[in-house]
Amino acid sequence: MATTAKASPRDRLLDAAAQLFYRDGVSIGVEALCRSAGVSKRSMYQLFESNDEMLAASLERRRAWYEAQLTPPDSASDTPRERILYVFRRLEQASAAPDYRGCPYLAVLVELKDTEHPASAVARDVKDHLESGFRTQAERGGARDPRLLARQLMLVFDGAGARAGARIETLADGLATGTVTALMDAAGMK
Amino acid sequence: MATTAKASPRDRLLDAAAQLFYRDGVSIGVEALCRSAGVSKRSMYQLFESNDEMLAASLERRRAWYEAQLTPPDSASDTPRERILYVFRRLEQASAAPDYRGCPYLAVLVELKDTEHPASAVARDVKDHLESGFRTQAERGGARDPRLLARQLMLVFDGAGARAGARIETLADGLATGTVTALMDAAGMK
DNA sequence: GAGTTGGGAAACCGATCGGTATACAGGGTG
DNA sequence: CACCCTGTATACCGATCGGTTTCCCAACTC
């Protein structure tokens, strides 16, 4: 009946990986990972080339979900400004969860200081995609310099995520949305 | 003659720690650390209680230098706005160095996801101190909500540092200073 | 010269790292 | 039935982890 018990080893591995890497960092270890996923190391090493590739795959797998999380359900009615604010409202909501640890993609980039790591490439991709989404809305909204505004929004997004994740800031009072509102105003966005 | 060869084991250890933790992350290991410092593990463990305390001590040691780095040489002439911009100009300059890896204190908070870790407390302290410096200047500059502006500046500071350190952003064109200028303007700061 | 001390070299502890190899149990297909 | 294919369990590899301990030498004090 329930499909829950029938997840493939691959899926169980990727799900456990995403969870453990996020909660405990990238240095979790193959041993703990496989134990948590209920998969033997042998199976893992014939599904993935290495631990590094596993990490990259688990990030890639979460990507669609992560981006959907930040994308407003498209009602043609909402303005570019609204669509941008939606992203930051979601960030503020997510950061309220007790197990929030910041953006997993930024965290991976910080922890793996190696820019050549396969997982770093995935993380950069996700970041670039978000930024280009901001730029698109900035253009639609008539910002004076859409690319500049998009980069500013990314500073706020990553700064807010990191600080909330590290528990040195709380976004509960609308700090992020307030800040980006000021920046969009300053950029002449309607 | 040269005092360079006479650094105490403690100092050699702390300096090597600061360097290696910054370059390679907090998972460096006691072995590599002592080798790099030219100090035996025995000496290290009678100077510090544990590896964790060592990390905290090395962060604490760098603290004065780090904060001085961001503090303008006080000429009574410069405005609060100038003093804030000075911080972000220094950030932009520092981020241009090829071995720049972002703010070491934020990195530690991200890597050690444990908020109870002794090093996390040091890092939080440094961040709080910077924020309160911003607030002081915001008050002096007549910002409508000094505390809010200070928090916004911290978002930009940490976002810019993290993104530049991860090599997904370049601050060379004045992105950070431009952004905080817009925020200070919006806050009604003179 | 005798005694004390600081600190480096290195062995050692059990645990874990990433990764490999061997052995075996279950399910389909002939 | 035999056959193969997945996947688990497990032992194993050399290396490293944080941390402790032993040994010994060089510099200092008396």
Side-chain angles (χ1 to χ4, degrees), chain B residues 29-31 41-42 45 51:
Chain B
V30 180
E31 206 86 34
K41 290 169 78 176
R42 182 182 199 278
Y45 276 106
N51 196 12

Side-chain angles (χ1 to χ4, degrees), chain B residues 119-140:
Chain B
S120 295
V122 177
R124 266 196 310 271
D125 253 38
V126 172
K127 288 296 174 190
D128 287 350
H129 185 254
L130 180 58
E131 180 174 336
S132 86
F134 282 153
R135 192 168 57 244
T136 299
Q137 300 308 320
E139 281 164 9
R140 290 211 309 136

Side-chain angles (χ1 to χ4, degrees), chain B residues 10-12 37 54 61 70 75 77 86 90 97-98 102 109 117-119 126 144 146 150 154 169 172 186 189-190:
Chain B
R10 184 163 199 279
D11 288 349
R12 272 182 291 154
M54 250 272 315
R61 180 180 165 82
L70 296 177
S75 60
S77 64
Y86 182 89
R90 298 290 292 200
L109 286 169
H117 193 291
V126 172
R144 254 187 307 278
M154 288 305 294
E169 179 57 274
M189 198 173 144
K190 64 172 180 294

Side-chain angles (χ1 to χ4, degrees), chain A residues 42-89:
Chain A
R42 183 179 200 279
S43 301
M44 182 202 135
Y45 276 106
Q46 70 191 38
L47 286 168
F48 302 98
E49 183 153 320
S50 68
N51 196 12
D52 293 344
E53 295 291 344
M54 250 274 312
L55 171 57
S58 82
L59 290 184
E60 185 61 54
R61 178 180 166 84
R62 277 277 197 265
R63 178 178 184 163
W65 173 85
Y66 181 78
E67 290 177 342
Q69 193 85 350
L70 297 177
T71 305
D74 46 53
S75 60
S77 63
D78 49 3
T79 64
R81 183 180 280 259
E82 272 306 316
R83 295 182 74 86
I84 287 176
L85 280 174
Y86 182 90
V87 173
F88 287 90
R89 254 194 302 268

Side-chain angles (χ1 to χ4, degrees), chain A residues 6 17-18 35 58 60 62 80 102 111 118 160 163 165 179:
Chain A
K6 300 301 306 171
R35 199 182 323 124
S58 82
E60 185 61 54
R62 277 277 197 265
E111 292 177 43
R163 290 180 62 81
T179 305

